[in-house]
Amino acid sequence: MEHPLYHVLLEGRRVGPYDRRTIVGMRIRKTLTSADRVVADNGRKFTVADLVRMGPLDGSFEASRSGSYSVVQAVHSAALVEAQGAAIPAFKGEIEVRLQTKVLRIAGRYRSGLRWKEDRVKIPLPELAHARLRGSAVELALRPGGEGPLKRLTLELFTPEAAGEFVAALPPLAPWPEAAPKSLAAPAGAHPMVWGAVVGTAVIVGSVLVWVLTHRI
């Protein structure tokens, strides 16, 4: 099956042609934005975001597909930004993120020596602890198998709308744990020495102000 080709419209000029994978790669590298426009061979114009949302037309991810498609809740094109502590291959370029009834399935390509290989990873949904949006990116926190810190996974969904749809389709998760705000005041129940230092500083400052005012009269 032939890959359709597209021209990119930049500053009134037609650049290309490129296949879909090349254009998505340019979007991942931020050479193009989601709002940039492309034109197909038939003259149809749409945005890079529309092209990404259409998904691969060559079925490149379908070779590793298993089970009935009826269990799929949502499918998104994405890119792997970061995986901390998670056993996920170093996927490059476009990946497919498929939310199923019991797992989050991530499929893509990665380099192994001089060759490209395809693989997929299935993350059980109960392992998802938190999710939050960062513009067009989604950060996921995964529960570790045993003791230890949460694992982190960051996916680029290319548009804030797609990222929001992906998070909305996830099962209910706990709010993202934020760092406690720092306070200048001594915390409740603080050691008496802390309060003594605060009071002592206030007394010294007050004494200095009184001395300055009395010697200026």
Side-chain angles (χ1 to χ4, degrees):
M1 178 180 180
E2 280 191 26
H3 298 278
L5 299 178
Y6 308 89
H7 285 82
V8 180
L9 302 179
L10 293 175
E11 299 179 353
R13 297 182 295 111
R14 290 164 61 104
V15 182
Y18 307 107
D19 61 13
R20 180 184 179 280
R21 176 168 288 173
T22 300
I23 292 177
V24 173
M26 295 167 71
R27 173 62 185 87
I28 293 172
R29 296 189 297 271
K30 302 187 185 302
T31 305
L32 297 175
T33 69
S34 295
D36 284 325
R37 300 188 67 80
V38 299
V39 55
D41 288 339
N42 60 7
R44 181 187 173 194
K45 296 179 181 179
F46 39 87
T47 65
V48 172
D50 293 331
L51 183 63
V52 172
R53 194 176 298 113
M54 288 163 56
L57 300 180
D58 58 358
S60 58
F61 293 117
E62 297 304 314
S64 59
R65 174 180 155 189
S66 62
S68 171
Y69 196 78
S70 62
V71 301
V72 176
Q73 308 298 313
V75 178
H76 291 278
S77 293
L80 177 64
V81 177
E82 188 178 28
Q84 297 181 8
I88 294 178
F91 291 132
K92 300 296 183 183
E94 183 181 15
I95 63 175
E96 183 194 68
V97 179
R98 186 181 297 179
L99 180 63
Q100 301 179 183
T101 53
K102 296 182 179 180
V103 299
L104 180 65
R105 180 184 182 276
I106 301 174
R109 303 193 309 158
Y110 67 97
R111 278 234 181 237
S112 177
L114 299 177
R115 302 181 61 184
W116 285 97
K117 290 188 176 182
E118 293 190 3
D119 199 0
R120 68 186 188 277
V121 176
K122 293 183 178 181
I123 302 173
L125 294 184
E127 288 189 10
L128 300 181
H130 312 284
R132 67 176 171 182
L133 292 169
R134 293 288 191 182
S136 59
V138 175
E139 294 183 54
L140 298 172
L142 284 63
R143 296 182 179 89
E147 296 293 331
L150 293 174
K151 296 176 284 188
R152 300 290 183 90
L153 176 63
T154 304
L155 302 171
E156 171 61 50
L157 274 292
F158 305 120
T159 66
E161 293 77 15
E165 292 173 4
F166 172 67
V167 171
L170 293 173
L173 302 175
W176 193 274
E178 300 290 350
K182 295 182 179 180
S183 174
L184 296 178
H191 193 280
M193 292 184 65
V194 176
W195 287 113
V198 174
V199 174
T201 301
V203 171
I204 293 174
V205 172
S207 301
V208 171
L209 289 175
V210 171
W211 184 89
V212 171
L213 292 175
T214 54
H215 283 74
R216 290 181 60 185
I217 298 176

